[in-house]
Amino acid sequence: MIEGGCTTGELARRTGVTPPTASQHATTLREAGLTTSTRLRNTILHTLTPLGTALLRTNSGP
């Protein structure tokens, strides 16, 4: 859901959870080194790190 980059609100909509829940998940992914979060005024943009991208590609199946 984050692969192309998204805000916390977009992440919440894409995954069908509340914004606070999406924020908690984004924090967990960031702490694991799989995403980065950049503040743009009053929003946060979440993007994959190279490690996150590699993990998706490794586990994407045949």
Side-chain angles (χ1 to χ4, degrees):
M1 299 293 171
I2 294 178
E3 188 170 10
C6 65
T7 65
T8 303
E10 290 169 334
L11 181 59
R13 283 188 293 280
R14 291 176 184 182
T15 57
V17 300
T18 65
T21 299
S23 180
Q24 288 176 332
H25 285 284
T27 296
T28 300
L29 292 169
R30 185 176 60 250
E31 289 173 349
L34 301 175
T35 64
T36 60
S37 299
T38 306
R39 179 171 291 282
L40 301 170
R41 295 190 179 149
N42 63 340
T43 62
I44 303 290
L45 180 65
H46 307 285
T47 55
L48 288 175
T49 63
L51 177 61
T53 300
L55 183 64
L56 285 177
R57 290 184 182 170
T58 300
N59 290 313
S60 64

